[in-house]
Amino acid sequence: MSSSQTKRPLSSAKAGPLSGDIRVPGDKSISHRSLMFGGLAIGTTKVTGLLEGEDVLATADAMRKLGATVTRDEDGTWHVTGVGVGALREPDSVIDMGNAGTGIRLMAGIVATHPITTFFTGDASLCRRPMGRVADPLSEFGAQFITRDRGRPPMAVIGTDEAKPVTYTLPMASAQVKSAVMLAGLNTTGTTTVIEPKPSRDHTERMLRHFGVDVDVKVNDDGGRTVSLTGPVEMKAADIVVPTDPSSAAFPMVAALINPESHVTIRDVCLNPLRTGLITTLIEMGGDITITNEREEAGETIGDLVVTGKNRLKGIVVPAERAPSMIDEYPVLAVAAAYAEGETRMCDLEELRVKESDRLAAVAAGLEANGVIHRIEGDDLIVTGGVVPGGGMVETHLDHRIAMSFLVLGLGAEKPVAVDDANPIATSFPNFETLMADMGAKFALHS
């Protein structure tokens, strides 16, 4: 979203039972990677089910500027003709990544080991986010980075043509940093290795294999993983069916659970084991969620979710080791916790402080504005559930997940809940309002 775009306040009100058989947008993580990897492969990759949100469209434009051919058919099928690893061209202009944190960090990894200079910028939210966490390991390959203070975009990446392989231990589990290092290794002679303390999303490893890259993954004694690949590699075009995004499915799923007698089916959801932390947590809280029609597509597990609101949720302790598998879902989990009986403790949420906004602070402020009892202890968020008074205005900080989470909160609250700007939702879930309204959600422009 442009920082100059007029804000669009939106409110939600108590809805009653929700129902529907729905398909949320394609998975954002897989959509980003399908365009990037297709652009690095030899041949033409056909992509169906791509998320056509602003973040992913920014990645499509970035790959065009780097020399790939990226087109869309009228039926929504995308075609990406790649240039091959090592053959990216220097962009003629600045690449604007919009709000795409995943996009800019993974793109930095790709261009770091190509002998080109690339300038990246983004919207007001992205330009507040730290890039040092990827710039530091990518600099070890020989790339140079120029950023604003505290490592913030706009950012120039001066790639190297003499890349040296790196062994990098992640200070914390991060799929973005892991992926950036691995993608730099694609055009590096020798073996690049990433050691992660806890398993993070492995879409990059799975999709690289789908494109013909040999990726070695070992489980360490401490439960972490060592991931390595040997470059330079040649990637071969491989068609992709993008499953729907579990992070987007989270919103109708929680909305159904907090509204008694709801019954919602969510189709074709990515059920990668490193993405299902929220589903596991909600089931532990007593949520009635059934997985049906489970199958495999392009290395990913896919299935349908049948969700009903027949059980009252109960508070639990969400263990720290689950955080990497549901890091984007904590804001909407906090909403579920606001309706649960008793106390829910979400442990070790440090990573939330460096997302599109300081999500931990933003969630706490939104809960406060709507009368939900909560507290923060260190990096833990503790929510005491019950009746949600509502009636508050929530500042989204240009964060799509904060906006959607608190609109879900309002669907069961005593008074309507408003968010100061619904525009950022388009970055990941362009049809959120219409899809939810078709299920029975009540939204209205807030004056």
Side-chain angles (χ1 to χ4, degrees), residues 138-190:
L138 295 177
S139 296
E140 295 183 21
F141 286 91
Q144 300 177 58
F145 287 77
I146 302 172
T147 64
R148 293 190 301 144
D149 64 306
R150 301 194 301 280
R152 298 174 301 154
M155 173 176 72
V157 183
I158 304 171
T160 177
D161 59 357
E162 297 179 347
K164 301 171 184 176
V166 167
T167 296
Y168 185 71
T169 300
L170 295 173
M172 66 177 68
S174 170
Q176 291 182 359
V177 180
K178 173 180 65 175
S179 297
V181 175
M182 292 175 64
L183 296 181
L186 296 176
N187 198 38
T188 300
T189 300

Side-chain angles (χ1 to χ4, degrees), residues 274-291:
L274 296 172
R275 294 289 301 280
T276 54
L278 178 67
I279 297 171
T280 299
T281 299
L282 292 172
I283 291 173
E284 288 179 0
M285 295 173 75
D288 184 51
I289 303 171
T290 304
I291 297 172

Side-chain angles (χ1 to χ4, degrees), residues 374-387:
H374 69 284
R375 64 188 189 277
I376 294 176
E377 294 180 357
D379 290 322
D380 292 1
L381 174 63
I382 302 96
V383 178
T384 302
V387 175

Side-chain angles (χ1 to χ4, degrees), residues 248-424:
S248 295
F251 302 106
M253 182 164 53
V254 169
L257 292 175
I258 65 175
N259 283 281
E261 300 181 32
S262 294
H263 190 284
V264 174
T265 300
I266 310 172
R267 300 287 181 185
D268 306 327
V269 181
C270 177
L271 298 176
N272 180 308
L274 296 172
R275 294 289 301 280
T276 54
L278 178 67
I279 297 171
T280 299
T281 299
L282 292 172
I283 291 173
E284 288 179 0
M285 295 173 75
D288 184 51
I289 303 171
T290 304
I291 297 172
T292 64
N293 193 24
E294 197 166 338
R295 58 206 187 275
E296 295 285 326
E297 286 277 3
E300 296 284 357
T301 303
I302 300 172
D304 301 336
L305 302 179
V306 180
V307 188
T308 74
K310 70 180 184 182
N311 298 335
R312 170 79 185 274
L313 299 177
K314 298 183 183 302
I316 63 168
V317 175
V318 186
E321 57 267 22
R322 195 173 293 165
S325 70
M326 55 184 294
I327 197 64
D328 285 332
E329 286 84 71
Y330 279 107
V332 78
L333 175 59
V335 168
Y339 288 94
E341 181 181 349
E343 189 174 271
T344 300
R345 176 182 284 264
M346 293 157 261
C347 302
D348 195 15
L349 306 187
E350 179 185 3
E351 176 77 0
L352 289 190
R353 300 185 188 275
V354 292
K355 301 298 282 185
E356 280 83 338
S357 62
D358 179 342
R359 280 191 179 151
L360 188 54
V363 168
L367 295 174
E368 178 74 23
N370 288 285
V372 178
I373 299 171
H374 69 284
R375 64 188 189 277
I376 294 176
E377 294 180 357
D379 290 322
D380 292 1
L381 174 63
I382 302 96
V383 178
T384 302
V387 175
V388 174
M393 167 65 78
V394 178
E395 188 175 354
T396 63
H397 303 279
L398 298 177
D399 190 322
H400 53 128
R401 299 200 196 278
I402 296 297
M404 289 184 281
S405 295
F406 282 97
L407 288 170
V408 170
L409 183 78
L411 299 178
E414 297 303 295
K415 296 180 181 179
V417 172
V419 300
D420 70 340
D421 193 2
N423 286 321

